[in-house]
Amino acid sequence: MQDSTEDRAGAKSSVVVMLCTLASRVLGIVRARIIGSIFGASGVADVINFTFNIPNNFRKIFAEGAMNASIIPFFSKLLGKEDRKSANRLFALLCTYQTLLLLPLVLASYFYGEQLIAFFSDFGSDQLALGARLLPFFMIYLLTISIGSIFNGLLHCHKSFFHSHAAPLLFSITVIVGVHYLSPYVGAMSMAYATVVGGFLQGSYAYLVLRRYGYRIKPALDTRGTLFKPLMRSWGKMVFSSVMVVVVQMVAFWFASSLSEGSVTAFSNSLIFWQAPYGIFFNAIVAVAFPMMSRAMSLSRRDELQKISREALINLLTFLLPSTILLFALSSESVSAVLQTGNYTLQDANLTALVLRYYLLTMVVAAWFNLFQRVGYSANRFTQMTVVTSLMCLADIALMWLFITLDFGIKALPLASMGSYAFALILLVVLLRDVYPAHRDKALFKGLGKVLLANIPLLGLCLLYGMLEMTWYESGSNLRNLLYLAMLGVVGVATTLLSYSKANIPFLRLLTGKN
């Protein structure tokens, strides 16, 4: 009975994360449209987007994923032992040293902003001057968002999933409102002011929630007798992994730029569509499962860790497989209905859809790989996970080169990604077999098989639709086509839900409270 209650709570927490992530994606699109509608494709817009991308890349490397993956196992261990005093001290140390690490970057951006922008760009003098004015504000945002990532990681450990994922919504809302109302008076600086206020509000909200659990921000430098040093070693390995992933992305863009005209845009836009379902469902499931895995491992409860891992693998397939099937079947329709307008032609949309279809074949494998990584982090095997990530990145680059040499064209990029993820997943299953012997887990294969069978109706419906060879979407992005696309999506989702209900898929049973 206890397990049933905890399972149901975990499932509902996943739904909360899904809804918050969906809201975040929608607000992100609205934010981009607001900025685009006000500043257009002008030189000012180029400077805003380019300059904001600098702290954004730092955020991807030093904060968020890297920080959360590092701190959750350590804080889960302390909370599992109910050692709140040590947890509070470690929290204070992390906030202090994160500030000391990033504050020099803020100061450097203030005193040498123009030189930094000039080094990374070919902007003219006016654009350099504007970039130099924007950069210090964006770097302050980096500081607030990086400390906020510590707050969010701790909220995950305390199972406060709504607050950790609602906090980022404040940033998007603030930027949307700020740019809309301030731009007539201060122009591009409206983005700078709104970014700082939004980052502060996001961090403040998360911190106020954390205060309920007894955490306080205060200066702390003495690391003796704490888990600070081993945590920092783990974080350093995570940073290295993040750098490797960023390098692979840069190499992929470089390879795409060497192909036919439009390949870079097709590659970039296909990732936007791919990341929508992946980000929503992967974050929802793993954000809940990872702290639970870490706590189970810290308490030496291997059976519990394996149960959580098994259910997360099945749940990932439960949501990502129908997403893959439906988006694969409607790839051309989705891209055309959303993007095909103005100078973005049907040919451009078809090329993006082609790349997207190949990337979709990677979705489930990529999610499983990243989940097994969390199993490794829970077992404190950060070095092993870093080595596997490095090997995967090297394999990705090698396969991209090989497939392009073999004249695969733009398809080389998703095919290389598919091969490298599959290779890395197999490697992790072998390396972590003492922690979670997935290859011998009969319950896992039974659950996966059940989900596969439940998706046959959707697959059949999509194959039938494909045989009709409809061309309604070729007229591009307009209200009628968007409504058609939404209607087809609703039919696909309804088919999946009906099939899952008949198949008695566990995740849905937990949500409805049925035994």
Side-chain angles (χ1 to χ4, degrees), residues 96-110 139-140 142-143:
T96 300
Y97 280 95
Q98 185 82 307
T99 302
L100 293 175
L101 172 67
L102 295 176
L103 192 57
L105 292 178
V106 176
L107 295 175
S109 68
Y110 179 78
M139 295 304 284
I140 293 173
L142 171 65
L143 176 60

Side-chain angles (χ1 to χ4, degrees), residues 197-208:
V197 175
F200 178 78
L201 288 177
Q202 176 178 336
S204 298
Y205 176 85
Y207 176 62
L208 289 175

Side-chain angles (χ1 to χ4, degrees), residues 56-122:
N56 226 23
N57 282 333
F58 275 111
R59 175 184 60 81
K60 293 176 184 177
I61 293 174
F62 293 110
E64 291 196 350
M67 181 58 72
N68 281 345
S70 302
I71 71 175
I72 286 176
F74 287 92
F75 276 98
S76 295
K77 181 178 180 179
L78 293 174
L79 295 175
K81 296 178 179 179
E82 297 186 357
D83 190 353
R84 293 297 182 91
K85 182 177 179 181
S86 296
N88 271 278
R89 188 177 173 195
L90 184 59
F91 169 75
L93 285 167
L94 285 173
C95 292
T96 300
Y97 280 95
Q98 185 82 307
T99 302
L100 293 175
L101 172 67
L102 295 176
L103 192 57
L105 292 178
V106 176
L107 295 175
S109 68
Y110 179 78
F111 290 106
Y112 304 103
E114 191 162 333
Q115 291 90 327
L116 289 171
I117 301 294
F119 180 79
F120 290 108
S121 73
D122 291 323

Side-chain angles (χ1 to χ4, degrees), residues 147-426:
I147 295 176
S149 68
I150 300 173
F151 303 161
N152 285 342
L154 267 172
L155 288 174
H156 283 183
C157 292
H158 286 279
K159 301 181 181 180
S160 185
F161 298 106
F162 170 75
H163 295 296
S164 65
H165 287 83
L169 302 181
L170 293 175
F171 172 77
S172 292
I173 292 171
T174 303
V175 171
I176 291 169
V177 174
V179 172
H180 179 74
Y181 287 103
L182 293 179
S183 57
Y185 305 100
V186 295
M189 292 305 294
S190 60
M191 180 67 178
Y193 302 146
T195 297
V196 171
V197 175
F200 178 78
L201 288 177
Q202 176 178 336
S204 298
Y205 176 85
Y207 176 62
L208 289 175
V209 177
L210 268 183
R211 286 179 62 90
R212 299 178 186 175
Y213 299 104
Y215 295 97
R216 297 291 185 271
I217 294 179
K218 55 185 177 181
L221 296 172
D222 187 3
T223 64
R224 289 175 297 180
T226 70
L227 294 175
F228 181 78
K229 289 183 178 179
L231 192 157
M232 284 294 100
R233 285 194 292 269
S234 301
W235 178 71
K237 295 166 187 174
M238 289 297 305
V239 167
F240 180 80
S241 297
S242 299
V243 170
M244 288 291 294
V245 172
V246 170
V247 168
V248 170
Q249 291 176 347
M250 294 173 64
V251 171
F253 271 100
W254 183 82
F255 275 127
S257 68
S258 68
L259 300 173
S260 59
E261 184 178 347
S263 294
V264 173
T265 299
F267 169 61
S268 178
N269 287 339
S270 68
L271 290 180
I272 293 174
F273 283 89
W274 183 88
Q275 288 169 350
Y278 181 88
I280 291 171
F281 296 126
F282 179 81
N283 288 338
I285 293 165
V286 174
V288 176
F290 185 30
M292 295 169 63
M293 290 190 293
S294 298
R295 180 166 297 195
M297 195 67 189
S298 69
L299 298 174
S300 300
R301 297 174 181 171
R302 290 291 181 95
D303 290 343
E304 184 179 340
L305 170 68
Q306 293 172 11
K307 177 177 179 290
I308 296 167
S309 303
R310 177 194 308 124
E311 291 179 350
L313 287 168
I314 295 172
N315 289 337
L316 284 171
L317 187 69
T318 298
F319 287 102
L320 293 180
L321 181 58
S323 299
T324 297
I325 294 172
L326 191 57
L327 191 51
F328 190 99
L330 299 176
S331 55
S332 295
E333 290 86 341
S334 299
V335 176
S336 291
V338 174
L339 295 181
Q340 186 186 326
T341 184
N343 292 324
Y344 197 89
T345 65
L346 176 62
Q347 183 179 358
D348 298 327
N350 285 337
L351 183 60
T352 297
L354 173 67
V355 181
L356 173 60
R357 286 193 288 272
Y358 279 95
Y359 265 117
L360 287 169
L361 300 177
T362 314
M363 186 178 291
V364 173
V365 177
W368 282 352
F369 164 77
N370 283 306
L371 179 72
F372 268 98
Q373 268 196 325
R374 268 61 177 185
V375 175
Y377 297 146
S378 299
N380 202 26
R381 295 187 179 180
F382 289 93
T383 300
Q384 207 171 49
M385 297 304 100
T386 301
V387 171
V388 172
T389 301
S390 300
L391 291 174
M392 183 189 74
C393 291
L394 292 174
D396 199 348
I397 293 172
L399 288 173
M400 279 190 283
W401 174 84
L402 175 63
F403 292 149
I404 286 178
T405 302
L406 294 174
D407 202 25
F408 279 41
I410 190 66
K411 293 180 291 186
L413 305 184
L415 287 173
S417 180
M418 187 191 314
S420 59
Y421 269 120
F423 159 71
L425 174 61
I426 294 170

